[in-house]
Amino acid sequence: MIDFANELNEAQLEAVTTTEGPVLVIAGAGSGKTRTIVYRLAHLVEQGVDPAQILLLTFTRKAAQEMLARAESILGRSLHGTSGGTFHSFAYATLRANAMDIGFAGGFTLMDRADSENVCKEVKDGFKLGKGDRSYPKKATLLDMITKSRNKELSIDAILEREAFHLNPYLEDFTRIADGYDRFKREHALVDYDDLLFLLDELLEKNEPLRNQLQARYQYIMVDEYQDTNLVQARIVRHLAGERGNVMAVGDDAQSIYAFRGANVANILEFPKIFKGTKIVRLEKNYRSVQPILDLTNEILHGASVKFDKNLYSDLKSDRLPEVVYPISDRTQARLVVDRIIELSKKYMLHDIAVLFRAGYQSFPLEVALTRIGIDYQKFGGIRFHEAAHIKDVLACIRLVLNPHDRLAWQRAMEHIKGVGPKTVAKLYAAMHTKDPKSEKYLANMISKHEPLKELLRELDMLRAMPPKPGAILESLLAFYQPVLMEKYPDDYPKRQAGLEQLSQIAAGYSDLETFIGDLSLDGDPDEEKRKENAVVLSTVHSAKGLEWSAVILIDLVEDRFPSRKAMQRAEDLEEERRLMYVACTRAKECLSLFVPSSVFNRASGMSEPTLPSPFVTELPDTAYDRLNESYGGGLEKRRASVSLPSPSAATVTDDGAPARHKADPKKLGFCKHKIFGKGKIIAFIEPNKYRVNFPGFGLKVIIGDYLELL
């Protein structure tokens, strides 16, 4: 017999032993979520439940296999017969067994991602769309918009409006291709990964005998990471659980950060309303982080507008508070982060130190700084700086300024010119470096036929005539490259533009062109991605979810970077950014450093401009952290933390699932309403009676309190 009482804490034991009726386990970060699921599997079987009556739904096959293996180890017996796997694998098996009922009498074939992209291209070509348009969306982008539309259950129009406004001119084409894509699949008995879920949902909705059969078979259903489910996955769970509702959903609303994939946080927030009589169990004891870090993360959650109340605590004590560091600028931030990494490396292995950021491009200056002094790093999420295609394009031109004989750089610089392939580049290269009449005639002929080639050569000549200052040369080059960027990368050029802004910022810190290009060309170890030891981890927060490190450094905590500019426009997006901040901070076990640059470099003005600290930082009470300011001498000075504002009023969710609205205090941050600007998020309170408010669509406004209705 398993001694559950001694092997689990009180909340875990309650979740494990509550087997009848709907159960919602709110599992705070580092609270032993997987352990709880594993022991519940073991408990059910030990109580005599047939393993074949258990259905475990996860988001990866590996997660399901590990949970089942651990449960078998605890039990000392096989769990053969238990259905454990992803939503998609369960859907595939069910649909294969009922193919006739979904209109595929002869069966169907499941397409992978590459197959789906090729079908999109075939449909597009069949409609004769995009002919002669080099900026036409690629097949991968066509599929992305279609699948996002389906997973979020929004029109393609809405998806483009929210996520890819620059592709709006192609809206009608996207719609035609999406319709044609569906017809093609039906005509050829094909289904994609999205179809698996929607076809299963439709089958369970319409086929009552099958629904009853599955409900009778699966007496106990468990769903992991419920905060990551989309709308159709939540409906499938409802179909399978039925009125009886022996279903346990495990997750954390505060870690719902995948809305861009279709995840809907409302699924977990509204679980108690959908499944009547739900018992809510909160796992709040954290086994990862020291208490001062948890105190800070609890404060971050206090600002959420709607949430399940939770208060993380730990037996791990520390007298060291998290630190909030204010560099003078984002230029000096990289240097200070490197200094912090060197200091931490005296206590921790490099692979136990992580630098996290909102978007992949934000680590570019740090990558250069680490490479320059020889500190190895691994990057997860986004692309390594020197591997980004648009960065390679620009660096190729700079290499040609320094060395006109760089054949590889010529190849890269001419990639965007239609009709100039590798063989033509070889001929042009030979013509440029062979001074004879025949070569000069060939070169002149090619220049007259290809205007972009003429423009490129003119730009390079102009750059060579300039003083070799990286900042000025890059400024001119980026102006030349902008139309190339938009034509060569039409699907995502706004995102790539941010990377070029960072390149410009890096260039501003150099006075010598050769040193600049040398530092950027050090690619490092080609096997670096395979190495796990002795390398600092650089990661986007999204890629860091589920991981942990002894020391975590979070950078660029200013408005427009974290939260992102796009998120500042919609209240629900801003709430997801808050959850992203929570996920980032809860990755840290012992040390947590938050970097808030006081200014950022603006390429348009050529100057550093003041920033607004992230609202997630300004909301923190000064008792939660130590503040360090960069002095003009380059060192760090400990300051008393600035007096922060009280935490926002929030709507928590009570045990019966009903939102509980707290009366707003005039001096608390939260949401408000204005007669002209509508609903907004209060960013700061300004004595004696003003508020700085972010209104979606209007940006930041300072409003007298008398004209605001606090929500």
Short mmCIF file of all heavy atoms in Angstrom, two decimals, residues 315-354:
data_model
loop_
_atom_site.label_atom_id
_atom_site.label_comp_id
_atom_site.label_asym_id
_atom_site.label_seq_id
_atom_site.Cartn_x
_atom_site.Cartn_y
_atom_site.Cartn_z
N ASP A 315 9.17 26.51 1.97
CA ASP A 315 9.99 26.26 3.16
C ASP A 315 11.43 26.73 2.93
O ASP A 315 12.25 26.70 3.84
CB ASP A 315 10.00 24.76 3.50
CG ASP A 315 8.65 24.29 4.02
OD1 ASP A 315 7.87 25.13 4.49
OD2 ASP A 315 8.38 23.07 3.93
N LEU A 316 11.72 27.14 1.68
CA LEU A 316 13.08 27.57 1.33
C LEU A 316 13.23 29.05 1.68
O LEU A 316 12.58 29.91 1.09
CB LEU A 316 13.33 27.35 -0.17
CG LEU A 316 13.14 25.91 -0.67
CD1 LEU A 316 13.21 25.87 -2.19
CD2 LEU A 316 14.19 25.00 -0.05
N LYS A 317 14.06 29.33 2.65
CA LYS A 317 14.21 30.70 3.13
C LYS A 317 15.47 31.36 2.55
O LYS A 317 16.40 30.69 2.13
CB LYS A 317 14.28 30.72 4.66
CG LYS A 317 13.12 30.02 5.35
CD LYS A 317 11.77 30.59 4.94
CE LYS A 317 10.63 29.85 5.61
NZ LYS A 317 9.31 30.31 5.11
N SER A 318 15.47 32.68 2.53
CA SER A 318 16.63 33.44 2.06
C SER A 318 16.53 34.85 2.60
O SER A 318 15.43 35.40 2.74
CB SER A 318 16.68 33.46 0.54
OG SER A 318 17.71 34.31 0.08
N ASP A 319 17.67 35.44 2.92
CA ASP A 319 17.67 36.84 3.36
C ASP A 319 18.02 37.78 2.21
O ASP A 319 18.21 38.97 2.40
CB ASP A 319 18.63 37.05 4.52
CG ASP A 319 20.06 36.61 4.18
OD1 ASP A 319 20.30 36.21 3.03
OD2 ASP A 319 20.92 36.65 5.09
N ARG A 320 18.10 37.21 0.98
CA ARG A 320 18.43 38.02 -0.19
C ARG A 320 17.15 38.30 -0.99
O ARG A 320 16.47 37.38 -1.44
CB ARG A 320 19.44 37.28 -1.07
CG ARG A 320 19.79 38.03 -2.34
CD ARG A 320 20.87 37.30 -3.12
NE ARG A 320 21.21 38.01 -4.35
CZ ARG A 320 22.22 37.68 -5.14
NH1 ARG A 320 23.00 36.65 -4.83
NH2 ARG A 320 22.47 38.37 -6.23
N LEU A 321 16.85 39.57 -1.16
CA LEU A 321 15.68 39.96 -1.95
C LEU A 321 16.00 39.92 -3.44
O LEU A 321 17.16 40.07 -3.84
CB LEU A 321 15.24 41.38 -1.58
CG LEU A 321 14.63 41.61 -0.19
CD1 LEU A 321 14.37 43.10 -0.01
CD2 LEU A 321 13.35 40.81 -0.01
N PRO A 322 15.00 39.73 -4.29
CA PRO A 322 15.22 39.96 -5.72
C PRO A 322 15.69 41.39 -5.93
O PRO A 322 15.44 42.26 -5.08
CB PRO A 322 13.83 39.74 -6.34
CG PRO A 322 13.09 38.91 -5.35
CD PRO A 322 13.61 39.32 -4.00
N GLU A 323 16.38 41.65 -7.02
CA GLU A 323 16.87 43.00 -7.27
C GLU A 323 16.30 43.55 -8.56
O GLU A 323 16.12 42.82 -9.54
CB GLU A 323 18.40 43.02 -7.29
CG GLU A 323 19.02 42.08 -8.29
CD GLU A 323 20.54 42.00 -8.14
OE1 GLU A 323 21.05 42.34 -7.05
OE2 GLU A 323 21.20 41.60 -9.12
N VAL A 324 15.99 44.83 -8.54
CA VAL A 324 15.56 45.54 -9.74
C VAL A 324 16.67 46.52 -10.09
O VAL A 324 17.01 47.41 -9.30
CB VAL A 324 14.23 46.29 -9.51
CG1 VAL A 324 13.84 47.06 -10.76
CG2 VAL A 324 13.12 45.30 -9.14
N VAL A 325 17.26 46.33 -11.26
CA VAL A 325 18.42 47.11 -11.69
C VAL A 325 18.00 48.11 -12.77
O VAL A 325 17.35 47.73 -13.74
CB VAL A 325 19.53 46.18 -12.24
CG1 VAL A 325 20.75 47.00 -12.64
CG2 VAL A 325 19.89 45.12 -11.21
N TYR A 326 18.38 49.36 -12.58
CA TYR A 326 18.06 50.42 -13.53
C TYR A 326 19.34 50.85 -14.26
O TYR A 326 20.05 51.75 -13.79
CB TYR A 326 17.43 51.61 -12.83
CG TYR A 326 15.98 51.41 -12.45
CD1 TYR A 326 15.64 50.70 -11.31
CD2 TYR A 326 14.95 51.90 -13.24
CE1 TYR A 326 14.31 50.48 -10.95
CE2 TYR A 326 13.62 51.70 -12.90
CZ TYR A 326 13.32 50.99 -11.76
OH TYR A 326 12.00 50.78 -11.43
N PRO A 327 19.66 50.23 -15.40
CA PRO A 327 20.79 50.72 -16.21
C PRO A 327 20.46 52.10 -16.77
O PRO A 327 19.28 52.46 -16.92
CB PRO A 327 20.90 49.69 -17.33
CG PRO A 327 20.10 48.51 -16.89
CD PRO A 327 19.03 49.05 -16.01
N ILE A 328 21.48 52.84 -17.10
CA ILE A 328 21.27 54.16 -17.70
C ILE A 328 20.57 54.01 -19.04
O ILE A 328 19.72 54.82 -19.41
CB ILE A 328 22.61 54.90 -17.86
CG1 ILE A 328 23.17 55.25 -16.48
CG2 ILE A 328 22.46 56.14 -18.72
CD1 ILE A 328 24.57 55.83 -16.51
N SER A 329 20.90 52.97 -19.79
CA SER A 329 20.29 52.77 -21.11
C SER A 329 20.32 51.30 -21.48
O SER A 329 20.95 50.48 -20.80
CB SER A 329 21.05 53.58 -22.17
OG SER A 329 22.31 52.99 -22.42
N ASP A 330 19.64 50.98 -22.58
CA ASP A 330 19.70 49.60 -23.05
C ASP A 330 21.08 49.29 -23.63
O ASP A 330 21.44 48.13 -23.79
CB ASP A 330 18.60 49.31 -24.07
CG ASP A 330 18.61 50.29 -25.26
OD1 ASP A 330 19.28 51.33 -25.17
OD2 ASP A 330 17.92 50.00 -26.26
N ARG A 331 21.87 50.31 -23.95
CA ARG A 331 23.24 50.07 -24.42
C ARG A 331 24.11 49.52 -23.30
O ARG A 331 24.93 48.64 -23.51
CB ARG A 331 23.87 51.36 -24.94
CG ARG A 331 23.20 51.96 -26.17
CD ARG A 331 24.06 53.09 -26.70
NE ARG A 331 23.35 53.91 -27.68
CZ ARG A 331 23.91 54.87 -28.37
NH1 ARG A 331 25.18 55.16 -28.18
NH2 ARG A 331 23.21 55.59 -29.24
N THR A 332 23.94 50.08 -22.09
CA THR A 332 24.77 49.64 -20.96
C THR A 332 24.17 48.40 -20.29
O THR A 332 24.87 47.74 -19.51
CB THR A 332 24.90 50.76 -19.92
OG1 THR A 332 23.61 51.12 -19.42
CG2 THR A 332 25.56 51.99 -20.53
N GLN A 333 22.93 48.10 -20.57
CA GLN A 333 22.28 46.94 -19.96
C GLN A 333 23.05 45.66 -20.25
O GLN A 333 23.28 44.84 -19.34
CB GLN A 333 20.84 46.81 -20.49
CG GLN A 333 20.12 45.58 -19.99
CD GLN A 333 18.71 45.47 -20.55
OE1 GLN A 333 17.74 45.50 -19.81
NE2 GLN A 333 18.58 45.36 -21.86
N ALA A 334 23.48 45.46 -21.51
CA ALA A 334 24.20 44.23 -21.88
C ALA A 334 25.47 44.08 -21.05
O ALA A 334 25.80 42.98 -20.57
CB ALA A 334 24.52 44.23 -23.37
N ARG A 335 26.20 45.18 -20.87
CA ARG A 335 27.45 45.11 -20.10
C ARG A 335 27.17 44.74 -18.65
O ARG A 335 27.87 43.90 -18.06
CB ARG A 335 28.18 46.46 -20.16
CG ARG A 335 29.44 46.51 -19.31
CD ARG A 335 30.11 47.87 -19.39
NE ARG A 335 29.24 48.97 -19.00
CZ ARG A 335 28.96 49.27 -17.72
NH1 ARG A 335 29.47 48.55 -16.74
NH2 ARG A 335 28.18 50.30 -17.43
N LEU A 336 26.13 45.34 -18.07
CA LEU A 336 25.79 45.05 -16.68
C LEU A 336 25.32 43.61 -16.51
O LEU A 336 25.60 42.97 -15.48
CB LEU A 336 24.72 46.02 -16.18
CG LEU A 336 25.16 47.48 -16.03
CD1 LEU A 336 23.98 48.36 -15.65
CD2 LEU A 336 26.27 47.60 -14.98
N VAL A 337 24.59 43.10 -17.50
CA VAL A 337 24.13 41.71 -17.43
C VAL A 337 25.33 40.76 -17.50
O VAL A 337 25.40 39.78 -16.76
CB VAL A 337 23.13 41.40 -18.56
CG1 VAL A 337 22.84 39.90 -18.64
CG2 VAL A 337 21.82 42.16 -18.33
N VAL A 338 26.29 41.06 -18.36
CA VAL A 338 27.50 40.24 -18.44
C VAL A 338 28.23 40.27 -17.10
O VAL A 338 28.70 39.23 -16.61
CB VAL A 338 28.42 40.72 -19.58
CG1 VAL A 338 29.78 40.04 -19.49
CG2 VAL A 338 27.79 40.43 -20.94
N ASP A 339 28.33 41.45 -16.50
CA ASP A 339 28.97 41.56 -15.18
C ASP A 339 28.26 40.69 -14.15
O ASP A 339 28.90 40.02 -13.33
CB ASP A 339 28.97 43.02 -14.70
CG ASP A 339 29.92 43.90 -15.50
OD1 ASP A 339 30.77 43.35 -16.24
OD2 ASP A 339 29.79 45.14 -15.41
N ARG A 340 26.93 40.71 -14.19
CA ARG A 340 26.15 39.91 -13.25
C ARG A 340 26.37 38.41 -13.50
O ARG A 340 26.49 37.62 -12.56
CB ARG A 340 24.67 40.26 -13.38
CG ARG A 340 23.72 39.35 -12.61
CD ARG A 340 23.95 39.36 -11.11
NE ARG A 340 23.43 40.54 -10.49
CZ ARG A 340 24.08 41.23 -9.55
NH1 ARG A 340 25.28 40.84 -9.18
NH2 ARG A 340 23.54 42.29 -8.99
N ILE A 341 26.44 38.01 -14.78
CA ILE A 341 26.68 36.60 -15.11
C ILE A 341 28.04 36.15 -14.58
O ILE A 341 28.18 35.07 -14.00
CB ILE A 341 26.59 36.38 -16.64
CG1 ILE A 341 25.14 36.52 -17.11
CG2 ILE A 341 27.14 35.00 -17.03
CD1 ILE A 341 24.98 36.54 -18.62
N ILE A 342 29.06 36.99 -14.76
CA ILE A 342 30.41 36.66 -14.27
C ILE A 342 30.39 36.50 -12.75
O ILE A 342 30.99 35.57 -12.19
CB ILE A 342 31.42 37.74 -14.69
CG1 ILE A 342 31.60 37.72 -16.22
CG2 ILE A 342 32.75 37.55 -13.98
CD1 ILE A 342 32.43 38.87 -16.75
N GLU A 343 29.68 37.39 -12.06
CA GLU A 343 29.58 37.31 -10.60
C GLU A 343 28.86 36.02 -10.18
O GLU A 343 29.30 35.31 -9.27
CB GLU A 343 28.83 38.54 -10.08
CG GLU A 343 28.67 38.55 -8.56
CD GLU A 343 27.83 39.72 -8.08
OE1 GLU A 343 27.75 40.74 -8.81
OE2 GLU A 343 27.25 39.62 -7.00
N LEU A 344 27.74 35.71 -10.86
CA LEU A 344 26.97 34.52 -10.52
C LEU A 344 27.73 33.24 -10.82
O LEU A 344 27.55 32.22 -10.14
CB LEU A 344 25.64 34.51 -11.29
CG LEU A 344 24.60 35.55 -10.87
CD1 LEU A 344 23.48 35.63 -11.90
CD2 LEU A 344 24.02 35.21 -9.49
N SER A 345 28.60 33.28 -11.84
CA SER A 345 29.35 32.08 -12.23
C SER A 345 30.33 31.63 -11.16
O SER A 345 30.84 30.51 -11.21
CB SER A 345 30.09 32.32 -13.56
OG SER A 345 31.13 33.28 -13.39
N LYS A 346 30.61 32.49 -10.18
CA LYS A 346 31.47 32.10 -9.06
C LYS A 346 30.74 31.13 -8.13
O LYS A 346 31.38 30.38 -7.38
CB LYS A 346 31.91 33.34 -8.28
CG LYS A 346 32.76 34.31 -9.10
CD LYS A 346 33.03 35.59 -8.32
CE LYS A 346 33.81 36.59 -9.18
NZ LYS A 346 33.99 37.89 -8.48
N LYS A 347 29.41 31.15 -8.21
CA LYS A 347 28.61 30.30 -7.33
C LYS A 347 27.89 29.19 -8.09
O LYS A 347 27.70 28.08 -7.58
CB LYS A 347 27.58 31.16 -6.58
CG LYS A 347 26.73 30.39 -5.60
CD LYS A 347 25.78 31.31 -4.85
CE LYS A 347 24.94 30.52 -3.84
NZ LYS A 347 23.98 31.41 -3.12
N TYR A 348 27.47 29.50 -9.33
CA TYR A 348 26.69 28.54 -10.11
C TYR A 348 27.40 28.17 -11.41
O TYR A 348 28.17 28.97 -11.96
CB TYR A 348 25.31 29.13 -10.47
CG TYR A 348 24.53 29.62 -9.28
CD1 TYR A 348 24.28 30.99 -9.12
CD2 TYR A 348 24.03 28.75 -8.33
CE1 TYR A 348 23.55 31.46 -8.03
CE2 TYR A 348 23.30 29.21 -7.24
CZ TYR A 348 23.07 30.57 -7.10
OH TYR A 348 22.36 31.02 -6.02
N MET A 349 27.11 26.97 -11.92
CA MET A 349 27.56 26.62 -13.26
C MET A 349 26.85 27.52 -14.27
O MET A 349 25.71 27.95 -14.03
CB MET A 349 27.25 25.15 -13.55
CG MET A 349 27.98 24.17 -12.67
SD MET A 349 29.77 24.16 -13.00
CE MET A 349 29.80 23.35 -14.60
N LEU A 350 27.49 27.80 -15.39
CA LEU A 350 26.90 28.71 -16.38
C LEU A 350 25.54 28.23 -16.86
O LEU A 350 24.63 29.04 -17.09
CB LEU A 350 27.84 28.89 -17.57
CG LEU A 350 29.06 29.79 -17.35
CD1 LEU A 350 29.95 29.79 -18.58
CD2 LEU A 350 28.65 31.22 -16.99
N HIS A 351 25.37 26.91 -17.02
CA HIS A 351 24.08 26.42 -17.52
C HIS A 351 22.98 26.53 -16.48
O HIS A 351 21.81 26.24 -16.78
CB HIS A 351 24.21 24.97 -18.01
CG HIS A 351 24.67 24.01 -16.95
ND1 HIS A 351 25.97 23.60 -16.86
CD2 HIS A 351 24.01 23.40 -15.94
CE1 HIS A 351 26.10 22.76 -15.84
NE2 HIS A 351 24.91 22.63 -15.26
N ASP A 352 23.32 26.94 -15.25
CA ASP A 352 22.30 27.14 -14.22
C ASP A 352 21.96 28.62 -14.07
O ASP A 352 21.36 29.03 -13.08
CB ASP A 352 22.80 26.57 -12.89
CG ASP A 352 21.66 26.14 -11.97
OD1 ASP A 352 20.53 26.00 -12.46
OD2 ASP A 352 21.90 25.97 -10.76
N ILE A 353 22.39 29.41 -15.07
CA ILE A 353 22.07 30.84 -15.12
C ILE A 353 21.32 31.11 -16.41
O ILE A 353 21.74 30.67 -17.48
CB ILE A 353 23.36 31.69 -15.10
CG1 ILE A 353 24.21 31.37 -13.85
CG2 ILE A 353 23.03 33.18 -15.16
CD1 ILE A 353 25.60 31.96 -13.89
N ALA A 354 20.20 31.80 -16.33
CA ALA A 354 19.40 32.08 -17.53
C ALA A 354 19.10 33.57 -17.63
O ALA A 354 18.83 34.23 -16.62
CB ALA A 354 18.09 31.29 -17.51
#
